[in-house]
């Protein structure tokens, strides 16, 4: 969601703030702004739309100052507009905010009764007004900021700047990530390490409920109870600073192309070359012989990774699995019986709904396991065992390499469970290990089908509606393919289990309806081909994604518009391999339509509000 940056520097901070905000563009935003202290007085510049608009504004109306805060806003309360853009100022206080203040109406009423006037539709303005009001009653800036934070319900990351205080910034977090960067005579704050990477490699991650007082030479962190807290300083890995496109037109294209490499690294991490067994990191252990049930919770693309893992865990390991959407899970108040392993999947590790679901399970499930891409994230820290997917920094809003790395780690975890439970032998495990180590080659073969995929994408770009079909392990892939297409091309797409075609969706089929079918030559191929024939009999135009044997089974017909040939792989690996054409179909369709591939409208990379 929104991005926050703060700098207490020794140089002019406006260009530093804007450059850092550019590194946060992947989070999604609709407006941006910065505030500095100019000769001791608060001043700000805000602009609607892309950061280039803010940059242009600053060229014509510069903003001096060596301390400042910046923000990219993703609208929640109030439409995108300059007035609603951050930073918000009230009297002697400027504030930037990521999250949602749930009790802002109550606070707004109190402030209105006290004579305070509101000029925006946002919940954040309430924070600035409350802090300024408390200062008018005699509190110091730090006291007022802390007292304001104590009054807030909801999720937030906050940074406060004060009139006349050119060596002071107050920050706080609850439910939204925030990190402090340490410099030499300078201090920084940001929504994540990516924003801070060019400025420093020394990072302190604030924990839930923390608030901190920053000067150029000091940081004082207090926990939610107001006690001094000693949070460790960590080194950012070099990759955090690597956010260039490496010659690709879009980050999404780069990240699709990186999949063979990052998956090879993930396989090597969990299945070292000297063993055919799955080894969990840092000495972590899960006794799968005592696991009676697995509950998997996630959102969006990560949810489809969980749906795929359900097939693996049930078919290979013999474990009953429930998969739930995080935003619905805890509101059902589901019973969590003894013997339950609760597994949470999130690229960012900060997804608000997934984190809330994890906390619901903390005193109920036997073991909390998370599959995340950010080792220092809230979800990772609050889990009993955190399994990194090792995808590296993912900038494109539409998840690609993180999805296939999630699948790879979940497959290895499923194989570990199956082996420990006696469902597969040592020989079976060795065969699976060999297949996993061959995944990068298969992925490269899938990436080689670019020409066929581009051709299919040009046809898809002309459609208003598209259906995706799949069976078994390909059903979640159909869901993911439809989601990717919707996210970045804005074409309406739906996915169905192919067997459900006759139960309603077939009514949509006509000569204008493209149907994308994922159908590897597995045990379900014959049934999927039968469903395809039903589509083609009604003049539906099919794009078939299959291997050589599957394409031959369908045969040539004028209704088969395109056939995209995948390498033949073990059936359990097909979701990982077939993710590539799903991603590329969406990518090239979006390119053909001219949409913003990396930053699609209305979407954010990390959804840190409910």
């Amino acid at each position: 969601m929104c991005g926050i940056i703060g700098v207490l520097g020794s140089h002019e901070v406006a260009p530093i703030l804007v450059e850092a905000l550019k590194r946060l563009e992947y989070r999604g935003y609709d407006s941006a702004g910065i505030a500095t202290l100019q000769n001791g007085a608060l001043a700000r510049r805000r602009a609607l739309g892309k950061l280039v608009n803010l940059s242009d504004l600053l060229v014509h109306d510069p903003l001096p100052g060596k301390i400042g805060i910046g923000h990219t806003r993703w609208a929640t309360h109030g439409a995108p507009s300059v007035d609603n853009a951050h930073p918000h100022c009230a009297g002697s206080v400027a504030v930037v905010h990521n999250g949602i203040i749930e009790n802002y109406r109550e606070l707004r009423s109190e402030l209105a009764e006290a004579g305070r006037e509101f000029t925006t539709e946002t919940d954040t303005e309430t924070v600035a007004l409350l802090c300024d009001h408390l200062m008018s009653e005699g509190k110091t800036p730090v006291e007022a900021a802390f007292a304001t934070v104590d009054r807030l319900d909801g999720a937030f990351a906050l940074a406060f700047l004060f009139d006349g205080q050119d060596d002071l910034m107050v920050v706080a977090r609850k439910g939204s990530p925030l990190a402090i960067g340490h410099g030499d005579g300078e201090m920084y704050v940001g929504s994540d390490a990516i924003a801070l990477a060019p400025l420093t490699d020394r990072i302190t991650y604030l924990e839930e409920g923390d608030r901190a007082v920053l000067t150029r030479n000091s940081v004082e962190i207090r926990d939610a109870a107001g006690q001094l807290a000693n949070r460790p300083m960590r080194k950012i890995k070099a990759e955090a600073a690597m956010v260039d496109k490496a010659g690709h037109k879009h980050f999404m294209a780069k990240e699709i192309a990186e999949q063979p490499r990052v998956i090879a690294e993930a396989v090597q991490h969990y299945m070292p070359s000297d063993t055919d067994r799955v080894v969990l990191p840092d000495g972590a252990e899960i006794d799968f012989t005592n696991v009676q049930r697995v509950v998997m919770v996630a959102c969006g693309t990560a949810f489809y990774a969980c749906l795929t893992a359900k097939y693996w865990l049930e078919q290979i390991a013999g474990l009953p699995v429930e998969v739930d959407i995080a935003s619905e899970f805890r509101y059902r108040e589901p019973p969590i019986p003894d013997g339950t392993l609760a597994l949470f999947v999130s690229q960012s590790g900060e997804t608000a709904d997934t984190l809330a679901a994890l906390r619901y399970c903390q005193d109920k499930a036997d073991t909390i396991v998370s599959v995340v891409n950010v080792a220092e994230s809230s979800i990772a820290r609050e889990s009993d065992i955190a399994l990194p997917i090792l995808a590296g920094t993912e900038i494109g809003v539409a998840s690609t390499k993180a999805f296939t790395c999630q699948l790879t780690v979940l497959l290895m975890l499923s194989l570990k469970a199956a082996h420990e439970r006696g469902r597969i032998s040592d020989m079976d495990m060795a065969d699976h290990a060999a297949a996993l180590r061959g995944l990068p080659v298969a992925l490269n073969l899938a990436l080689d089908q670019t020409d066929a995929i581009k051709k299919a994408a040009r046809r898809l770009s002309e459609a208003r509606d598209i259906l995706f079909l799949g069976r078994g392990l390909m059903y979640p892939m159909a869901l993911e393919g439809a989601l990717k297409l919707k996210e970045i091309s804005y074409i309406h797409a739906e996915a169905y289990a192919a067997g459900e075609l006759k139960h309603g969706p077939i009514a949509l089929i006509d000569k204008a309806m493209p149907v994308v079918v994922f159908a590897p030559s597995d045990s379900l191929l014959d049934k999927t081909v039968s469903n395809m024939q039903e589509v083609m009999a009604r003049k539906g135009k099919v794009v078939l994604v299959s291997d050589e044997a599957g394409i031959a089974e369908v045969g040539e017909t004028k209704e088969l518009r395109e056939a995209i040939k995948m390498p033949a792989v073990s059936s359990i690996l097909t979701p990982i391999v077939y993710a590539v054409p799903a991603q590329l179909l969406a990518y090239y369709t979006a390119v053909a339509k001219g949409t913003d591939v990396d930053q699609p409208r209305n979407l954010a990379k990390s959804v840190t509000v409910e």
Side-chain angles (χ1 to χ4, degrees), residues 77 97-107 123 127 148-158 172-177 208-211 330-331 352 355-356 359 608-610:
H77 297 71
H97 166 222
N98 181 15
I100 290 178
I101 306 303
E102 295 176 355
N103 63 332
Y104 84 100
R105 290 185 182 87
E106 171 192 335
L107 295 173
D123 53 340
V127 178
T148 297
V149 170
D150 289 337
R151 291 292 313 277
L152 304 180
D153 294 334
F156 52 80
L158 293 162
R173 68 148 293 184
K174 177 186 175 186
S176 290
E208 188 71 358
D210 281 355
R211 63 282 309 267
R330 74 187 192 280
Y331 296 112
L355 181 58
R359 289 169 178 164
T608 55
V609 297
E610 292 188 54

Side-chain angles (χ1 to χ4, degrees), residues 342-344 358 361-362 365-370 382-386:
L343 198 156
F344 301 86
L358 182 153
C361 290
Q362 274 179 331
D366 286 14
T367 307
I368 302 286
V369 178
S370 61
E382 296 188 28
S383 300
D384 298 321
I385 297 171

Side-chain angles (χ1 to χ4, degrees), residues 284-312:
E285 283 299 331
I286 303 171
D287 185 358
F288 280 105
T289 61
N290 287 328
V291 175
Q292 302 300 314
R293 175 175 174 261
V294 178
V295 172
M296 304 184 74
V297 183
C299 299
T301 286
F303 174 70
Y304 298 146
C306 291
L307 285 181
T308 307
K310 175 182 173 72
Y311 283 87
W312 288 327

